[in-house]
Amino acid sequence: MSGPIVRPYGDTTGDGMVQMSFTLPVPHDKRAEGAALQLAGKMGMDPAMLVHAKQMGDGFTFFVVYGRVNHLVDLSAVQVVERDFPLLSAKEVNAVVKRRLRRKLSVVGACIGTDAHTVGIDAILNVKGIAGEKGLEYYRELKVTNLGAQVSVPDLVEAARAERADAVLVSQVVTQRDAHLHNTREMSAAFREAMPAGKRPLLIVGGPRFDEMMTAELGVDRIFGRGTTPGEVASYLVHALITQKAKASA
Ligand code: B12
């Protein structure tokens, strides 16, 4: 069944105008600008206008192209992971953990592999948080162990065991050569090997370039993308570890 059909809006409703940016490995000159327009044309932009071109270091040029595409978007065919749990305040999260778990909920976080981009995981874990929300360290009933950058998978498994982790939170920001996918698969396989089902912590990965639909493929319980806030993560933890379990055993 097809649902509402939309097309991009640039100057007037439904005119199909989009803006695209990319870099070509050529110095900035007239030929480079022509090359950018050729690429835009091959990608279906017609007409295409070059609105910005700037040389970036030796032999690279960054372009912004504005132009018309004919493609339509069928909103009924869009597939996304919707939030399927209620958003709770820090007070509510603490209350549920205290009442149902009767101990602190243990969370272990890290950037694994060679990834040293800790800002994202720190935004979720550190008390200072992000976007006006405090991080998980602020939650009285959560015990947070932040292992920081470039943690090896065996060290992460060991720390999760030592901390009796209820959930392991892994951040992957670098996606070159699909490093985020390889590292996540290695991590989930290591936990499956080291711990029997039922004793394994909840495995959560996050980062700005993950496809949130890939949980089964990567062997994790949940993927969080760009713009995630600590409150969403805390609410998910309570939902997945406490509310769902209670439902299952009822
Ligand atoms: C800051 C930064 C650095 C800093 C990192 C400092 C630090 N301690 O983190 C430094 C200078 C060290 C750095 C180094 C490098 N960087 Co850098 N870096 C960035 C930059 C500018 C910002 C990233 C950031 O902090 N974002 C802000 C945070 C808050 O956002 P976030 O990570 O997306 O996190 C949010 C969500 O994704 C989510 N989330 C993230 N993780 C998790 C985990 C869980 C469990 C959950 C629930 C949620 C979650 O929640 C967060 C809050 O909303 C980006 C470009 C950009 N503008 O994004 C490049 C960028 C990520 N870096 C890049 C690269 C290539 C590198 C280097 C390889 C460069 C080099 N040649 O040396 C090195 C690699 C170092 C390494 N070993 O990892 C590329 C990655 C390209 C790619 N596709 O992989 C980027 C995109 C720049 C670019 N356009 O080329 N970098």
Side-chain angles (χ1 to χ4, degrees):
M1 196 184 75
S2 85
I5 304 289
V6 294
R7 55 196 311 165
Y9 175 113
D11 303 315
T12 54
T13 306
D15 61 10
M17 299 300 279
V18 300
Q19 183 169 295
M20 175 168 74
S21 66
F22 54 88
T23 301
L24 290 179
V26 289
H28 182 200
D29 56 14
K30 277 283 182 197
R31 201 179 157 82
E33 296 193 356
L37 288 174
Q38 185 194 99
L39 178 68
K42 285 182 175 171
M43 291 175 77
M45 281 175 102
D46 182 23
M49 275 173 284
L50 187 73
V51 292
H52 180 72
K54 190 172 190 325
Q55 183 143 333
M56 309 294 286
D58 276 349
F60 291 88
T61 307
F62 174 73
F63 301 96
V64 178
V65 178
Y66 184 61
R68 183 171 187 274
V69 294
N70 283 316
H71 308 291
L72 305 173
V73 178
D74 177 355
L75 291 181
S76 72
V78 172
Q79 291 189 344
V80 288
V81 177
E82 302 269 11
R83 180 166 52 78
D84 52 358
F85 52 87
L87 267 188
L88 306 178
S89 66
K91 216 171 156 186
E92 288 168 324
V93 167
N94 285 330
V96 178
V97 174
K98 198 167 184 179
R99 196 172 64 242
R100 300 270 189 84
L101 211 56
R102 294 203 183 99
R103 62 170 171 80
K104 294 202 176 187
L105 190 151
S106 170
V107 174
V108 171
C111 286
I112 59 169
T114 57
D115 207 326
H117 292 87
T118 49
V119 179
I121 188 78
D122 287 346
I124 301 299
L125 297 181
N126 287 2
V127 71
K128 64 179 182 244
I130 191 167
E133 287 188 16
K134 298 256 200 268
L136 301 190
E137 283 175 354
Y138 170 77
Y139 292 64
R140 218 183 34 241
E141 299 299 326
L142 302 189
K143 178 172 184 284
V144 175
T145 309
N146 187 350
L147 302 174
Q150 300 189 330
V151 175
S152 75
V153 167
D155 286 352
L156 178 66
V157 172
E158 225 15 75
R161 211 194 291 275
E163 294 297 331
R164 296 175 183 274
D166 295 293
V168 169
L169 271 61
V170 160
S171 182
Q172 287 286 272
V173 173
V174 174
T175 58
Q176 290 162 332
R177 294 197 200 97
D178 283 343
H180 62 314
L181 305 181
H182 298 305
N183 290 341
T184 303
R185 284 195 189 99
E186 184 194 340
M187 181 272 296
S188 61
F191 274 97
R192 263 194 299 280
E193 199 179 305
M195 298 172 189
K199 298 265 183 226
R200 224 177 291 135
L202 205 62
L203 300 179
I204 300 169
V205 285
R209 287 167 211 86
F210 270 107
D211 174 351
E212 294 177 10
M213 309 280 285
M214 287 180 76
T215 45
E217 210 174 304
L218 297 178
V220 296
D221 296 288
R222 189 88 180 192
I223 298 174
F224 284 93
R226 70 194 142 73
T228 303
T229 64
E232 289 172 318
V233 179
S235 301
Y236 170 71
L237 291 176
V238 160
H239 170 79
L241 288 166
I242 303 175
T243 320
Q244 287 289 84
K245 264 192 189 161
K247 255 195 222 157
S249 59

